[in-house]
Amino acid sequence: MKFTRFLSCSSLFASTAISAWNDFDLHPVLAPGYDTAKLANIVPSTNVTLDYSLDILADPRSSVSIGLQTYEPVVLLEAIGPVHQVACTYNTVTIGFSTLAAFERAISEWPHDGEFWLITNHLGNCDAAGERGIYLVVGLNWDNDTTSVMAKTAKMGFGNIASSITVTFSDVQGSVSNNSGNITFDEPGINVASNFSLPTDDQIFSEPPYFTAIANNGYLSDAAIIRGQFSYDVPTQRLQSLWFDIDTAFYGDLALTFNVSAPFSSSHYAFSPGTFFASTVNVPGAFSLQPALRWSVGADVGTDGAIHHSSNITMSIPDGHAHIDFMNSSNSRIVGWGPRLTSAVQTDEAATGHASPFIDFTIELALNVLDGVFNTTGGITATPQFINDLNVAQSQTRIRKANQMFWPRNVTCTNGFELRSAFNFSVAAYVTDEWQKTLYNTEIPIADECYPF
């Protein structure tokens, strides 16, 4: 005998469509705070800002900004307009000035015995593509005839120059949507997206010889915009602060069939279709940030007899926003995350038990500072689950699932079975090996009805 019931629950929702951008080609750009016409930029400073753009337009909303506090003062050559020529050897940096005023200002301001830093940016042969050069100056030779100076130097890295490093990732807000089933974010910044389909009629988990779960079809799509900041103290090798703001949306369409041929203890199953690794956001020698998008499809299953049950779920989270404070979990929070679930179930054979599919969607961020001196990984996981509890009349068995408990109420079903369904949705943030915190959890009842044999 076949029993069919269509179920749905929803909240405010806007559909979305896919547009994946995840190729991060950082290149140095002058920070907006510098005016190249000002000769004051010739004066060495222990505070310097280095910007890197994610796009050819150098939009400040799509930049990575590195603020350095340095042990010795720094001269940022790209901020000095009259610097028109720079050439490097293995132990010298030669700088040519286009005006006498700039040349004389450098003579008066730069320490005669050296002991300061030069940072180059694509004038001459001083740095690799997409990078700046960092040089410790140990001596200066001035040439009045050519208005140039040859600095005796040693090439160094961020770990040598900085006492502290503060990195700010692009400040991006907003998403663009239409009414297809895919997802897109069409804004400058650290954008990541992925989508893929499960093979039709694929067995995704089983417990031979009594249990199999077949994915009749499945499609998963996700996208996120990431921005944030961290501050790192170099001498102590400790983070001072680290947070990320994540704007995200995801969509999943999944049809599963559960076949259980004998009593089966409650178990938790999960199948991962794969992990999507976007390009690394990387400033060599300073830091790298590796975003990853990960899906998992699973179910909580248990029964005291044979069941044949199918669940179809289509779920969307179009507008999720999360603030994750890696240093203090109590500062982590979310807004939005209004879900929509459309679902259908079909039961051909019933016993007291449960078959409750779920989808996990994770955005994970792995941060590496100063070529591995410090590493940390954290992120956010959203888990929608379609809970289905079946209870056959006259059965007093109680089946405990991994996360939920539904108590049979078979007094209302005297000649058939009861189907109780709900939609559970949770969002949790975590930092690996440090903490995990549930930021949001809701359960929405969908149905509690009897079906005759």
Side-chain angles (χ1 to χ4, degrees):
M1 187 78 64
K2 182 179 294 186
F3 308 92
T4 304
R5 178 67 175 172
F6 292 93
L7 311 168
S8 67
C9 66
S10 64
S11 64
L12 192 60
F13 167 75
S15 300
T16 50
I18 191 86
S19 174
W21 175 44
N22 38 64
D23 184 12
F24 309 128
D25 185 16
L26 286 177
H27 55 277
V29 295
L30 183 65
Y34 292 103
D35 182 350
T36 58
K38 292 184 176 180
L39 295 186
N41 292 333
I42 293 174
V43 180
S45 172
T46 55
N47 295 292
V48 64
T49 301
L50 306 177
D51 276 13
Y52 295 79
S53 179
L54 291 170
D55 59 37
I56 60 175
L57 299 177
D59 189 323
R61 295 177 302 165
S62 61
S63 68
V64 172
S65 183
I66 301 178
L68 299 178
Q69 292 279 340
T70 61
Y71 296 110
E72 303 293 343
V74 176
V75 174
L76 184 62
L77 293 180
E78 67 196 83
I80 305 172
V83 170
H84 72 100
Q85 185 179 12
V86 180
C88 294
T89 68
Y90 75 96
N91 65 351
T92 67
V93 176
T94 300
I95 304 157
F97 295 89
S98 61
T99 69
L100 182 60
F103 177 70
E104 292 177 342
R105 183 72 180 267
I107 291 174
S108 66
E109 297 289 355
W110 292 5
H112 291 181
D113 57 353
E115 297 303 320
F116 69 101
W117 299 86
L118 293 173
I119 297 181
T120 64
N121 180 15
H122 286 80
L123 281 175
N125 58 342
C126 297
D127 38 76
E131 300 183 30
R132 288 179 167 93
I134 298 175
Y135 296 87
L136 175 63
V137 179
V138 296
L140 295 169
N141 292 318
W142 299 93
D143 188 332
N144 293 328
D145 294 333
T146 60
T147 61
S148 65
V149 60
M150 185 177 69
K152 296 179 181 179
T153 59
K155 192 166 187 178
M156 297 291 183
F158 283 95
N160 306 113
I161 191 175
S163 59
S164 69
I165 300 174
T166 299
V167 176
T168 302
F169 301 98
S170 52
D171 185 11
V172 180
Q173 297 185 16
S175 65
V176 173
S177 62
N178 62 32
N179 44 353
S180 76
N182 296 321
I183 296 163
T184 183
F185 286 80
D186 189 17
E187 289 281 344
I190 302 176
N191 286 242
V192 293
S194 71
N195 65 92
F196 45 83
S197 299
L198 296 177
T200 302
D201 298 327
D202 188 40
Q203 180 176 296
I204 57 173
F205 35 78
S206 65
E207 193 79 31
Y210 304 114
F211 167 62
T212 60
I214 305 296
N216 303 310
N217 60 70
Y219 179 75
L220 308 172
S221 179
D222 52 70
I225 297 174
I226 301 162
R227 59 192 186 276
Q229 186 181 84
F230 75 86
S231 181
Y232 181 77
D233 184 72
V234 176
T236 62
Q237 299 183 355
R238 294 176 64 89
L239 276 180
Q240 303 301 305
S241 64
L242 172 58
W243 58 265
F244 289 102
D245 285 343
I246 301 173
D247 296 329
T248 187
F250 63 93
Y251 172 90
D253 185 16
L254 180 66
L256 293 180
T257 296
F258 301 94
N259 288 294
V260 181
S261 59
F264 186 73
S265 298
S266 182
S267 298
H268 181 88
Y269 297 91
F271 163 76
S272 177
T275 299
F276 170 76
F277 291 100
S279 296
T280 303
V281 181
N282 179 42
V283 174
F287 78 94
S288 65
L289 179 68
Q290 174 66 77
L293 302 175
R294 182 177 299 112
W295 287 95
S296 179
V297 176
D300 295 319
V301 182
T303 176
D304 67 357
I307 65 170
H308 183 91
H309 176 84
S310 296
S311 290
N312 298 356
I313 56 174
T314 301
M315 63 85 199
S316 302
I317 306 294
D319 190 30
H321 307 274
H323 175 83
I324 306 174
D325 189 327
F326 279 46
M327 308 294 291
N328 186 351
S329 63
S330 64
N331 290 336
S332 299
R333 57 192 181 274
I334 66 169
V335 295
W337 300 90
R340 179 177 180 176
L341 172 75
T342 301
S343 57
V345 297
Q346 177 172 303
T347 303
D348 297 303
E349 187 172 3
T352 296
H354 60 271
S356 303
F358 64 84
I359 301 172
D360 275 352
F361 165 56
T362 298
I363 303 171
E364 188 168 87
L365 300 167
L367 178 67
N368 176 313
V369 182
L370 297 178
D371 290 328
V373 175
F374 182 87
N375 296 276
T376 188
T377 300
I380 191 164
T381 298
T383 306
Q385 183 171 31
F386 185 26
I387 301 170
N388 295 297
D389 273 42
L390 298 102
N391 184 47
V392 176
Q394 308 306 317
S395 171
Q396 297 300 319
T397 304
R398 293 180 296 184
I399 305 291
R400 181 179 294 274
K401 302 192 291 297
N403 299 313
Q404 305 287 333
M405 168 67 86
F406 271 29
W407 297 89
R409 296 188 304 171
N410 46 45
V411 294
T412 62
C413 295
T414 58
N415 186 29
F417 72 93
E418 179 187 25
L419 174 63
R420 305 179 68 193
S421 296
F423 174 55
N424 181 267
F425 180 63
S426 64
V427 180
Y430 66 93
V431 174
T432 303
D433 298 327
E434 295 291 336
W435 57 265
Q436 180 171 341
K437 182 179 181 180
T438 298
L439 303 178
Y440 178 75
N441 186 76
T442 186
E443 185 164 298
I444 305 169
I446 299 175
D448 183 1
E449 300 188 26
C450 292
Y451 301 94
F453 290 117

